[in-house]
Amino acid sequence: MGDRPRHPGAVRAWLIWWVLLAALWLALVDTVVVPELVVGAIAAAIAATGAVIVRGQRRLLLRPRLEWVRCAGGPLRRTLTDLVPLARALWRRGVRRRDEHGAMAELPYAAVADEPDAATHRVFTQALGSLAPNTLVVGVDADRRVLLVHQLVPTGDPAAEAEP
């Protein structure tokens, strides 16, 4: 009596994952032959179980702010514009064997607190900052309050490349 499940909504989440993954299986195999349906149902059940196990391990739920999502356009554009410097670097370093190196940069970064908003901002910064091929967000040093960024071809403003 009075015992509540440790992870409320796990059954509902499993069912939702199973339906989505079974639908994905059907879309990928593009057939309704019974053996394929059985294998798809089993694969979806295994994957849904994995998703629910991972869901049960999360410490907090990330809730991005709308203005952060709006800022994703810059990193998305850089996935295309960074291809030219990347191709040049590959040519110089890979084909011509020039001894050139990328550069590390430390940028001031304030979202280091242990709270949901700061954690969400860190996830967005690391994911979107590493989206373009020239820049990789290595991590956040919370003690020093800096964002560590590596650029294959150093630019004049690594902050503009890393911050979403």
Side-chain angles (χ1 to χ4, degrees):
M1 264 194 283
D3 287 337
R4 300 190 70 203
R6 219 175 90 176
H7 301 289
V11 172
R12 180 177 45 123
W14 189 91
L15 288 171
I16 291 170
W17 275 113
W18 186 86
V19 167
L20 292 173
L21 293 165
L24 176 63
W25 179 275
L26 284 173
L28 291 174
V29 299
D30 194 29
T31 183
V32 289
V33 178
V34 174
E36 285 291 339
L37 293 175
V38 171
V39 171
I42 293 169
I46 293 168
T49 302
V52 170
I53 289 170
V54 169
R55 176 185 185 266
Q57 300 298 314
R58 70 180 179 209
R59 291 186 292 160
L60 59 98
L61 185 61
L62 300 178
R63 293 200 170 117
R65 294 183 184 167
L66 186 57
E67 60 264 21
W68 297 346
V69 176
R70 284 189 198 133
C71 294
L76 288 172
R77 273 190 305 279
R78 282 193 299 275
T79 59
L80 296 175
T81 60
D82 276 4
L83 291 177
V84 172
L86 176 65
R88 285 186 193 135
L90 289 173
W91 175 259
R92 285 192 311 265
R93 296 175 194 174
V95 176
R96 301 190 71 199
R97 301 281 188 212
R98 288 194 182 162
D99 189 25
E100 297 177 0
H101 301 283
M104 289 291 293
E106 293 183 352
L107 310 171
Y109 190 70
V112 296
D114 251 355
E115 60 184 30
D117 271 355
T120 304
H121 194 273
R122 284 192 302 275
V123 168
F124 256 64
T125 300
Q126 290 179 337
L128 292 176
S130 298
L131 192 60
N134 189 47
T135 304
L136 176 70
V137 176
V138 178
V140 175
D141 186 340
D143 296 333
R144 295 176 34 224
R145 300 176 71 84
V146 293
L147 185 68
L148 304 170
V149 176
H150 179 270
Q151 289 190 314
L152 181 65
V153 179
T155 63
D157 188 12
E161 303 286 323
E163 293 263 354

